[in-house]
Structure formats: structure tokens, C-alpha cells
Amino acid sequence: MCDIIGQAVRAGVPRRTILTSALGGLAALGAAACTGSNPPTGAPAAPAAAAPPAEGARTQLILLGTSGGPPYWPGSEREGIASALLVGDRYYVVDTGAGLLRQMRLAELGNWRHDTDGPLDGMRAIFLTHLHSDHVVDLNNLLTEGLFNGLHRVDRKVQIWGPGNRGALPPLFGAPPPPEPVAPDNPTPGTKEMVDLIVRAFATDFNDRAFDNRKPVPNQLFEGLDVPIPAQYLADPNGNPHPRMSPVRFYEDERVRVSATLVQHAPVFPALAFRFETEDGSVVFSGDTSPSENLIELAQGTDVLVHEVIARGWVERLLPAPRNDAQEGLFQHLINAHTVIEDVGGVAERAQARTLVLSHLVPGNWPADDWQRAKNGYSGTLVVGEDLDRIGVGTA
Ligand SMILES: [Zn+2]
């Protein structure tokens, strides 16, 4: 009988903390426990070092949600993938996974003067690495209920940046016939289109709030924009393997400069990684990717590399051989579109990243100790991310 919750309680309790230690709190035993398997042991990992303290730092990375994938992992309290980069009194959101608005409240972002003024009043821009649901599902929450959580008080229009329209359906895996495509007139909308479609989908609410509550209308508050990846890198809508390119700078304001590059997350394309430069240092977000030369170039010498990670042992247990077409497709996606624990330290080492922060943990309920194996092959500081961790930038 599966006893995920009981084992999680016995193993430890997830905690909200200002991060001064890289030690994770949750050791829930999830899917592996359900199958009767033991958690992996693997090679012993060197203990992770303390992360740069966040207290007093003007620029801070805040992990709002650290779980990867659409599942709500049993036994885990990790929220969906989302991060904030706080620079002074403004912040930038990277990915908008499930639970985001609540996590922003808990992180005490924004400038609260009244119950409905924050936390979004301090939000400057949103960056989406790719349009998988676990990275974007709460964007509509920010844009709609945001009207009553500070979005109506932003001092400039919030830009929402992400990949553009792919332009073609993904290749069919396995034998024909293909499934009936969803929205065949435009089956792969990009970020600008997605934001516009959210506004249209919630028009009843927006109009009610505007006419009855006299709230601003969406085009006064935010706009969706496609990251301008040069056309030659997007010529193949499947982009597998992703074309080699150097980073492209596409956003700049008085606090940050942001560059993007393509990463390897096939069959999803385009999928992006972002680098933020501030006066205090730099932070790179990998998005979802297998080891990528583009990412390694983007992340060269960065202060903080926030990188996704997946436990290969979990994938093998989830989808044991022999596999049917659908199972094989998912198995290949999980292994080839993500970075396994054994590889992520090497990526950070080659990028010469000073601190490696693991986030977008798949599965979210994997034993905490096993993530520590990412330390192998990496000489910098490893942080296994927990929700609401804060990491100072440029204060190490
Ligand atoms: Zn993804």
C-alpha cells in the first residue's frame, strides 16, 4: 500500500526560509514509494556549501515554485516552476507555474499599502522560457486577478516576453493516423498571441471590472511580446537539435539587461534560456533543456545559474521497458528534453557558474538527498532549491 504522506512526514517537513543553507527540507518519497521501490542511493555526493546570504542584498533571486511538470506531486508541497529576480524595489518574474500569486504574497514581494495594492505593484516584467503548461498556467491568474492584487498600480506597462509562434505542429511520434489538432487555424500560438487570447477569454471579467469597478483595461497594464530570435535560427519549426547560436539581448531598463538563447527541449520549440545582468551580478535561467552548448555560452561566468533537473531513476521506474508508442514517446521526452542529475553539475562547471541552483525538480517529491549528487563534477556552490528560498546576488 502506498504511504507517501506518512513517509513524507517522517522524513521531514518542507520549510519556508530565508536561505542560508543549501540543505533541503523535504524528503517525500513519491512515485517510487508507490511502486514499492526504494529511493536511489547512487554515489555519495559531496555536501553542498552554503549559498550566498540574501539578507540585505539589493539583488535577490527568489524561488517562488521549484516543482517541474504538470503533476501535483503527491507528498510534496513544492509549487509550480516560477522565480523572481528582485532588484531594489522592483522584480522580474521568470515562468508562471501553478500557485504563483500565492507564493508572491508569501515572499512579500511588492509594496503593500493596502490589501489590494500588492504584490504585483512591484512587478516590472514577466519572462516565459517556453509555453509548456507547467511554466505558464498561472499567467492568466496574474493578468486577471492581478487587478485586485496590485497590477492596477504598476507604474509602467508590464511586458510579458516569451517564444513566438512555432509555425508548425510537432512531428508525429509513432505510427499514423495523427490526432486531430487542437485549434487547427492556429495550433501553436506564441507569447503575444497567448496573452491576447487570455484577454479575449476573460473579456467578460475584464469588462465587468472596467465598467463596474472602474479598473484599467488590459492594454493599459500589460502586453505580450515575442523574443526576437533571429529568423535563421527558427527556419526549422522543429528545431531538433536546436540550432547553435549566440545570445541575443532583447530587453533593457534601468535595472536589468536580459539576453536569450535557444535551448534543447524538443519536441517543444522554440524554448529559451535567459540571462539577467544587474549592477550586482548576473543570474541565468536555463528553462527546460538537456545539456546545451547555447546555454553554456549564455551562462559563462555567471554568479547564479538556475538550472532544471530530472531524476533518471524516476523516469525508468515510471516507464519501465517494454514500452508502447505513447510510453516510449514520453520516456524519450523526459530523458532527452531535460538534464539528469548526473549531468547538471558538469554543465555548471563548464559555464563556470559560481552558484548552481537546482529548480524545476522532476519529480517534485524525489528524495532530497539524491539531488545532492549534482555536486559531482562541479566546483562551485550547489543549492537544491526549495520554495521561497532567497539567494543574494553579488554578495558571496
Ligand atoms: Zn517544458
Side-chain angles (χ1 to χ4, degrees):
M1 178 180 173
C2 182
D3 182 24
I4 294 171
I5 303 300
Q7 292 180 66
V9 169
R10 288 192 292 276
V13 177
R15 86 287 191 254
R16 173 188 179 219
T17 183
I18 302 297
L19 181 65
T20 53
S21 167
L23 297 178
L26 177 63
L29 297 177
C34 271
T35 63
S37 305
N38 293 320
T41 52
E55 194 171 352
R58 176 177 58 176
T59 298
Q60 300 178 15
L61 166 68
I62 304 171
L63 304 181
L64 297 170
T66 57
S67 174
Y72 287 55
W73 302 104
S76 170
E77 294 186 10
R78 295 182 187 276
E79 297 287 356
I81 183 67
S83 307
L85 183 65
L86 177 67
V87 185
D89 62 354
R90 292 292 184 271
Y91 64 90
Y92 305 80
V93 173
V94 179
D95 286 331
T96 55
L100 174 56
L101 192 48
R102 177 176 179 273
Q103 296 299 90
M104 293 165 88
R105 280 269 190 226
L106 293 175
E108 300 181 350
L109 289 167
N111 307 289
W112 297 1
R113 294 176 296 272
H114 183 274
D115 280 352
T116 64
D117 283 351
L120 301 186
D121 56 346
M123 182 172 65
R124 181 66 90 209
I126 299 171
F127 299 85
L128 306 174
T129 58
H130 62 294
L131 303 186
H132 261 155
S133 59
D134 54 318
H135 292 250
V136 302
V137 70
D138 263 13
L139 179 61
N140 69 301
N141 191 359
L142 291 194
L143 301 185
T144 54
E145 303 206 317
L147 287 174
F148 293 86
N149 292 280
L151 185 61
H152 58 302
R153 293 202 179 278
V154 292
D155 55 6
R156 70 178 70 163
K157 199 180 277 194
V158 173
Q159 296 185 345
I160 302 153
W161 288 94
N165 193 322
R166 173 187 186 134
L169 285 165
L172 178 68
F173 184 89
E180 181 181 345
V182 175
D185 56 324
N186 185 14
T188 56
T191 300
K192 177 180 179 356
E193 294 168 302
M194 188 177 71
V195 170
D196 292 345
L197 288 166
I198 288 172
V199 170
R200 293 177 70 84
F202 285 86
T204 297
D205 181 77
F206 281 123
N207 280 318
D208 181 74
R209 305 305 183 189
F211 281 78
D212 184 47
N213 304 149
R214 305 311 299 260
K215 295 290 185 186
V217 294
N219 66 15
Q220 295 175 283
L221 298 177
F222 56 81
E223 62 179 332
L225 295 155
D226 297 339
V227 173
I229 299 297
Q232 68 263 34
Y233 303 119
L234 303 175
D236 177 1
N238 294 319
N240 188 18
H242 66 310
R244 188 74 176 88
M245 65 173 285
S246 291
V248 174
R249 182 178 296 176
F250 65 96
Y251 177 91
E252 184 167 0
D253 65 19
E254 68 278 14
R255 289 178 173 79
V256 301
R257 299 183 303 280
V258 188
S259 302
T261 197
L262 289 166
V263 290
Q264 179 69 24
H265 192 42
V268 171
F269 187 83
L272 303 173
F274 298 122
R275 179 177 180 127
F276 289 72
E277 296 281 354
T278 75
E279 285 186 17
D280 300 310
S282 59
V283 180
V284 172
F285 297 87
S286 72
D288 284 10
T289 183
S290 57
S292 163
E293 294 298 323
N294 286 353
L295 174 74
I296 290 168
E297 180 181 349
L298 180 77
Q300 275 303 308
T302 189
D303 293 282
V304 180
L305 170 58
V306 184
H307 205 293
E308 68 117 89
V309 66
I310 190 170
R312 183 184 180 98
W314 171 77
V315 184
E316 291 173 341
R317 290 176 190 183
L318 181 72
L319 298 160
R323 308 177 189 95
N324 63 29
D325 280 359
Q327 292 167 334
E328 184 65 26
L330 180 57
F331 182 88
Q332 293 299 331
H333 170 81
L334 291 171
I335 292 297
N336 297 324
H338 296 281
T339 301
V340 295
I341 301 172
E342 295 82 355
D343 290 343
V344 68
V347 170
E349 185 70 16
R350 289 187 58 207
Q352 300 181 58
R354 280 181 271 287
T355 297
L356 168 62
V357 177
L358 299 184
S359 191
H360 192 279
L361 305 171
V362 178
N365 55 10
W366 197 242
D369 287 352
D370 201 45
W371 301 120
Q372 300 289 338
R373 291 192 296 118
K375 180 68 181 166
N376 294 333
Y378 177 53
S379 58
T381 301
L382 172 68
V383 176
V384 178
E386 294 283 340
D387 289 12
L388 302 178
D389 280 350
R390 289 176 181 257
I391 295 153
V393 178
T395 58

